[in-house]
Amino acid sequence: MRWIFVVMAMLVSTGAAWAAPGIPAFTVVDDGNGGQQVSVTLQVLGIMTLLTFLPAIIMMMTSFTRVVIVLSILRQAIGLQQTPSSQIIIGLSLFLTFFIMTPVFMEVNTTAIQPYIAEEISPVQALERAKIPFQVFMLQHTRLNDLDLFARLAGYENLNSPEDAPFLVLVPAFVTSELKTAFQIGFLIFIPFLVIDMVVASILMTMGMMMLSPLIISLPFKIMLFVLVDGWVLIIGSLARSFGLGP
């Protein structure tokens, strides 16, 4: 019974501390300009909530989708099922995404994050400013047909320009365009390796070696071809240039 009274006393004292007027835990006050400012606690809570969407933002609003699909198709075209491993492909895709998206991230940091840290703008204004660089990037790599499709599905048939499209329309249109572009690049990657498979299969059939799998013979030749042409540099350079980097 003594421990029960001690716990009850601690709970009562804690509740009294939270109810004290000197500790503004969850408050919303007028800023004098017709708007409202929330307490730091609510701001931190909002930021932590947004961080849960960070993986989705990286995958759906950056170059990550195109890069990871192209690298996965490349592994499949060579015929290597587990090399490089999925962890290496995802890690390489993440670092390439950060490299490609550096201009966008720097603009977000300059126009939104730093003014917010300096308390020059509100969290809502920082969020609105951070959306602009991503919107410009996604519009540059979104097909008008895909944008028009999602605009009609969402009921935005009367958009004056693509810049007026809300994020509700722009993000799925951008992802659809990225999927199409990634598969187009993957098709071009598959062609030379497919030619090697066909040549090896024809030679084996001519020699009467019907029971020997052509993949076993063609795999070393595909790896050798990929190494001789410096395939990793070509693939990574092509992916970077497809987003407007480099000459």
Side-chain angles (χ1 to χ4, degrees):
M1 292 296 294
R2 182 182 303 174
W3 285 106
I4 295 176
F5 285 122
V6 171
V7 173
M8 291 179 63
M10 293 176 61
L11 291 176
V12 170
S13 61
T14 304
W18 278 98
I23 305 178
F26 302 101
T27 58
V28 180
V29 297
D30 295 330
D31 59 3
N33 298 322
Q36 291 181 332
Q37 289 284 349
V38 298
S39 62
V40 178
T41 307
L42 283 177
Q43 294 181 21
V44 173
L45 179 62
I47 293 174
M48 296 301 294
T49 303
L50 289 177
L51 287 178
T52 60
F53 295 96
L54 187 59
I57 293 175
I58 293 177
M59 289 188 294
M60 299 291 103
M61 296 173 58
T62 65
S63 59
F64 179 82
T65 301
R66 184 188 304 185
V67 174
V68 73
I69 290 178
V70 170
L71 294 181
S72 299
I73 292 178
L74 171 64
R75 181 178 66 177
Q76 193 72 21
I78 296 177
L80 300 172
Q81 302 299 323
Q82 300 296 331
T83 305
S85 64
S86 299
Q87 291 85 352
I88 294 178
I89 289 181
I90 293 176
L92 179 58
S93 301
L94 283 174
F95 277 99
L96 287 177
T97 299
F98 293 146
F99 175 77
I100 294 171
M101 299 295 296
T102 295
V104 178
F105 293 154
M106 291 180 63
E107 185 175 355
V108 171
N109 180 66
T110 303
T111 60
I113 298 178
Q114 293 303 323
Y116 173 70
I117 294 176
E119 298 184 356
E120 298 174 358
I121 58 176
S122 64
V124 177
Q125 292 174 330
L127 184 61
E128 291 295 326
R129 291 187 181 185
K131 287 168 53 178
I132 296 176
F134 283 99
Q135 184 179 17
V136 173
F137 172 80
M138 289 189 290
L139 283 174
Q140 291 176 348
H141 303 285
T142 302
R143 292 177 172 83
L144 293 179
N145 293 335
D146 299 330
L147 190 62
D148 180 66
L149 169 64
F150 285 97
R152 286 187 285 105
L153 291 176
Y156 294 94
E157 295 90 350
N158 299 322
L159 293 176
N160 296 324
S161 64
E163 289 75 13
D164 296 334
F167 262 52
L168 175 67
V169 173
L170 181 57
V171 173
F174 170 74
V175 174
T176 304
S177 298
E178 287 294 283
L179 289 174
K180 183 176 182 180
T181 303
F183 277 95
Q184 288 176 344
I185 298 175
F187 171 76
L188 297 177
I189 292 175
F190 243 104
I191 292 178
F193 299 108
L194 181 61
V195 171
I196 294 178
D197 288 334
M198 295 176 61
V199 170
V200 171
S202 300
I203 293 175
L204 291 178
M205 290 183 63
T206 304
M207 298 176 61
M209 305 174 67
M210 308 293 295
M211 302 301 295
L212 183 61
S213 175
L215 296 178
I216 299 177
I217 307 300
S218 63
L219 180 59
F221 290 99
K222 290 189 289 186
I223 295 176
M224 180 181 65
L225 173 66
F226 189 72
V227 172
L228 289 178
V229 300
D230 205 358
W232 288 112
V233 173
L234 292 177
I235 296 297
I236 294 175
S238 299
L239 284 172
R241 283 190 291 270
S242 68
F243 288 99
L245 297 182

